């Protein structure tokens, strides 16, 4: 999951990844999982990035063959952080509000697999690919973007929005009329779910989102089954178009994973596995 991979899949651009530096065993497995679950076409390593660590080499030899199973993910949920809010509040990631966004993004990824959508992607029609839109941070967007979101909701989409700490969603001009109508239940065929609590720490908001998603009948069956997985916090899942369920244990201890159908799987630290067809 990343904004680049979400945009690439939407616009039809080939996906490629390159590590930023030294490749630890943890980093190698994470990048392989990223390729596996995004249908990536290119993974580049400088020789020293990979071969400078014996554990990284072992991790590569054990897991690289799984790349033959790589596929695009099946995703029903998109997350949104309005570009306009970032620009108006000068919120690059090094500042406090940006860090809050990262905390929530990480917590939500533990609960489910999702795409990012930007204002440009929404303007280009990306919302039609999703059943649910989750606001991660930000409360101001351009009027045309808010109107597109409103049309998507009225056509049957589900929006999840945290009202704290800054209140209802509004346009650059300060117009809250659309979100006020949502508050009054005027959502057409769709639904807007407001989260009343503080969305930080992100784990509480992620738990709320997951529980609301479990109640939705609009999600595809394989996504609903994945949402029922019982797992530790730092185990991640992705449903692939080839019918496989990709799992990653990204913590220091062996993970016990209980699938929705009752099967159990023990996954060693920094290892991934494919389950299903």
């Amino acid at each position: 999951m990343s904004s680049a991979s979400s945009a690439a899949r939407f616009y039809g651009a080939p996906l490629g990844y390159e590590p930023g530096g030294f490749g630890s065993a943890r980093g190698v497995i994470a990048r392989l999982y990223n390729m596996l679950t995004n249908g990536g076409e290119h993974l580049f390593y400088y020789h020293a990035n990979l071969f400078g660590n014996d554990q990284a080499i072992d991790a590569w030899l054990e897991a690289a063959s799984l790349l033959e199973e790589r596929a695009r993910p099946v995703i029903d949920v998109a997350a949104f952080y309005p570009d306009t809010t970032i620009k108006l509040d000068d919120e690059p990631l090094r500042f406090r509000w940006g860090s809050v966004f990262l905390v929530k993004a990480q917590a939500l990824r533990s609960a489910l697999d999702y795409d990012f959508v930007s204002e440009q992607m929404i303007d280009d029609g990306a919302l039609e690919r999703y059943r649910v839109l989750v606001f991660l941070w930000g409360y101001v967007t351009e009027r045309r973007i808010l109107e597109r979101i409103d049309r998507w909701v009225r056509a049957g989409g589900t929006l999840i929005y945290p009202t704290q700490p800054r209140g209802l969603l509004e346009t650059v001009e300060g117009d809250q009329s659309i979100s006020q109508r949502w508050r009054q239940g005027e959502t057409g065929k769709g639904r807007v779910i407001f989260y009343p609590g503080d969305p930080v720490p992100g784990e509480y908001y992620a738990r709320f989102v997951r529980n609301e998603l479990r109640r939705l009948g609009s999600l595809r069956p394989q996504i609903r089954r994945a949402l029922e997985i019982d797992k530790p916090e730092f185990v991640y899942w992705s449903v692939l178009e080839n019918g496989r369920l990709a799992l990653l244990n990204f913590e220091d201890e062996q993970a016990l994973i209980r699938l929705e159908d009752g099967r159990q799987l023990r996954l060693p630290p920094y290892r991934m596995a494919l389950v299903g067809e």
Side-chain angles (χ1 to χ4, degrees):
M1 176 276 299
S2 72
S3 55
S5 60
S6 302
R9 289 194 300 274
F10 174 63
Y11 291 110
L15 271 175
Y17 300 95
E18 175 184 346
F22 174 76
S24 64
R26 192 171 189 256
V28 166
I29 290 299
R31 291 190 178 278
L32 289 174
Y33 186 77
N34 196 35
M35 284 285 291
L36 174 69
T37 59
N38 279 300
E41 298 183 23
H42 172 73
L43 178 61
F44 175 83
Y45 274 96
Y46 285 106
H47 184 278
N49 291 155
L50 184 60
F51 288 89
N53 183 322
D54 289 345
Q55 292 180 341
I57 296 172
D58 292 342
W60 176 273
L61 292 174
E62 178 179 332
S65 62
L66 292 177
L67 290 178
E68 298 300 325
E69 303 288 337
R70 66 188 184 276
R72 288 171 173 258
V74 178
I75 295 180
D76 284 345
V77 180
F80 186 41
Y81 181 17
D83 313 42
T84 300
T85 296
I86 299 172
K87 295 171 184 174
L88 289 175
D89 289 352
D90 192 20
E91 292 184 359
L93 297 182
R94 66 180 179 272
F95 292 133
R96 182 170 66 90
W97 290 120
S99 298
V100 171
F101 156 73
L102 289 177
V103 166
K104 293 205 293 184
Q106 178 181 349
L108 190 64
R109 183 61 184 89
S110 178
L112 67 145
D113 195 6
Y114 62 91
D115 276 347
F116 281 110
V117 292
S118 65
E119 288 181 334
Q120 185 63 61
M121 290 174 65
I122 290 176
D123 216 13
D124 290 339
L127 282 183
E128 306 311 314
R129 301 162 63 96
Y130 306 104
R131 320 290 174 88
V132 181
L133 179 66
V134 177
F135 269 73
L136 279 178
W137 197 248
Y139 70 107
V140 181
T141 189
E142 295 287 349
R143 182 180 301 276
R144 71 180 189 282
I145 303 301
L146 185 51
E147 289 173 348
R148 288 200 73 125
I149 294 173
D150 183 50
R151 291 196 296 272
W152 172 81
V153 167
R154 291 178 177 279
T158 297
L159 175 70
I160 301 178
Y161 181 84
T163 55
Q164 294 192 36
R166 299 190 179 184
L168 294 176
L169 182 63
E170 62 185 45
T171 69
V172 177
E173 298 80 13
D175 184 2
Q176 295 184 351
S177 58
I178 290 177
S179 53
Q180 289 286 1
R181 290 199 299 271
W182 292 344
R183 270 290 204 191
Q184 297 165 10
E186 297 178 20
T187 57
K189 297 179 181 178
R191 184 183 178 195
V192 176
I193 302 169
F194 291 99
Y195 177 66
D198 192 330
V200 179
E203 290 78 8
Y204 297 102
Y205 185 49
R207 187 182 308 148
F208 174 85
V209 171
R210 182 191 61 195
N211 289 338
E212 291 296 330
L213 293 177
R214 286 172 169 173
R215 300 186 182 102
L216 291 181
S218 60
L219 300 182
R220 282 173 281 191
Q222 60 268 48
I223 301 297
R224 293 203 303 271
R225 289 193 295 269
L227 286 166
E228 298 297 332
I229 295 173
D230 183 11
K231 64 178 186 61
E233 178 184 359
F234 292 109
V235 170
Y236 302 93
W237 60 261
S238 182
V239 174
L240 304 183
E241 287 183 347
N242 60 15
R244 311 297 293 277
L245 174 69
L247 297 166
L248 169 66
N249 179 13
F250 207 51
E251 61 181 359
D252 293 329
E253 300 178 356
Q254 177 175 266
L256 175 60
I257 303 165
R258 296 181 177 88
L259 303 181
E260 179 267 345
D261 60 8
R263 286 179 292 168
Q264 294 187 5
L265 173 67
R266 296 185 184 275
L267 197 55
Y270 308 120
R271 292 296 184 270
M272 55 184 179
L274 287 171
V275 180
E277 298 176 3

